[in-house]
Amino acid sequence: MIIYRNAVPDDLAGVAELQKRYHISTILEEDKADGFVTTLFSPEQFLSLMRDENGLAVACDGGKIISYAMAASWEYWSAWPLFRHMIADLPNIEYLGRVLSTENSYQYGPVCIAGEYRGQGVLEHIFEFSRRQMASRYPVMVTFINRINPRSYDAHTRKVGMDLIKTFDFNGNHYYELGYDMSRPVPGTSLL
Ligand SMILES: CC(C)(COP(=O)(O)OP(=O)(O)OC[C@H]1O[C@@H](n2cnc3c(N)ncnc32)[C@H](O)[C@@H]1OP(=O)(O)O)[C@@H](O)C(=O)NCCC(=O)NCCS
């Protein structure tokens, strides 16, 4: 049975192992077509995500970390240049009847699922768990996906139900920017 919960410091080794397996800099060539993550976290950044943001959700199967999903305030993300670019652009975006800001939105992702557990609803459930952690703080979720990661785009739009807000370019890469209405539970999820 797969359990969804907030990470604790003891989970760091398992999360770091999964990050290494699917990070663009260390992923096996044959795994790339099924998606990769680009934001790289240090152990200190993982700890701060847990401690200061309540923003590290994990899925475990028999004590093994098989998925993680990050979520945090824009202030946390401002350490990375790509997110500074997204923050500066928020006031240009109107979504769900609101002009976006660092107060009314947060950023979800990266998310990662071990290859053996894909296609089984883990994404919908870990996002739903993460959504519940953040829903009392923010009405809107924002995320980005590299346009050369079609599996992630398909899963997040078609299965989770995220909306395409816009596309943008940064540092020679092309991205989708997606949004989600935080008052809306992910259909078909059955978390207690
Ligand atoms: C992206 C990720 C979270 C999606 O979760 P998942 O469990 O694999 O998602 P699912 O298998 O339920 O859904 C993916 C869908 O995309 C489809 N798909 C696969 N490859 C595809 C491609 N190249 N183009 C379009 N769709 C594709 C699949 O067929 C599947 O749809 P189906 O179930 O109707 O067949 C997971 O694959 C993952 O962790 N990848 C590595 C890290 C990553 O990319 N993270 C996201 C960064 S933004």
Side-chain angles (χ1 to χ4, degrees):
M1 190 175 121
I2 297 173
I3 307 277
Y4 298 86
R5 59 172 173 77
N6 281 315
V8 294
D10 275 356
D11 297 322
L12 277 195
V15 172
E17 193 184 316
L18 204 51
Q19 170 176 258
K20 193 172 170 203
R21 191 168 166 196
Y22 296 113
H23 189 268
I24 187 74
S25 62
T26 37
I27 191 171
L28 293 175
E29 198 53 43
E30 61 261 37
D31 286 342
K32 265 190 197 164
D34 287 315
F36 50 85
V37 293
T38 49
T39 309
L40 186 64
F41 293 73
S42 65
E44 294 70 30
Q45 285 167 329
F46 280 136
L47 282 170
S48 151
L49 189 60
M50 275 183 227
R51 199 183 44 225
D52 307 329
E53 302 279 340
N54 190 35
L56 181 50
V58 290
C60 308
D61 186 10
K64 190 175 160 57
I65 306 284
I66 59 108
S67 177
Y68 64 73
M70 286 41 172
S73 67
W74 289 107
E75 191 190 347
Y76 174 86
W77 296 114
S78 63
W80 286 267
L82 169 66
F83 293 116
R84 290 201 290 276
H85 173 85
M86 291 178 76
I87 291 166
D89 188 47
L90 288 174
N92 302 323
I93 301 173
E94 198 180 321
Y95 174 61
L96 301 174
R98 289 182 177 83
V99 174
L100 296 187
S101 70
T102 53
E103 283 82 38
N104 66 18
S105 67
Y106 75 102
Q107 207 281 141
Y108 147 85
V111 58
C112 200
I113 301 171
E116 317 80 85
Y117 290 87
R118 294 189 189 158
Q120 300 169 31
V122 173
L123 177 66
E124 294 89 319
H125 283 84
I126 199 162
F127 177 70
E128 172 62 11
F129 180 87
S130 172
R131 184 194 68 80
R132 292 184 191 184
Q133 308 306 302
M134 306 305 271
S136 63
R137 284 180 269 170
Y138 302 100
V140 174
M141 180 230 74
V142 173
T143 192
F144 76 92
I145 297 178
N146 194 312
R147 278 162 65 184
I148 57 169
N149 192 348
R151 181 178 188 120
S152 181
Y153 181 76
D154 187 60
H156 282 94
T157 52
R158 195 165 54 82
K159 298 197 168 181
V160 177
M162 291 183 187
D163 301 315
L164 176 63
I165 297 179
K166 66 182 286 184
T167 58
F168 69 95
D169 296 338
F170 183 74
N171 224 355
N173 292 307
H174 310 299
Y175 297 100
Y176 298 109
E177 186 160 344
L178 308 179
Y180 194 83
D181 177 348
M182 291 295 283
S183 66
R184 186 174 165 268
V186 178
T189 52
S190 55
L191 293 167
L192 291 178

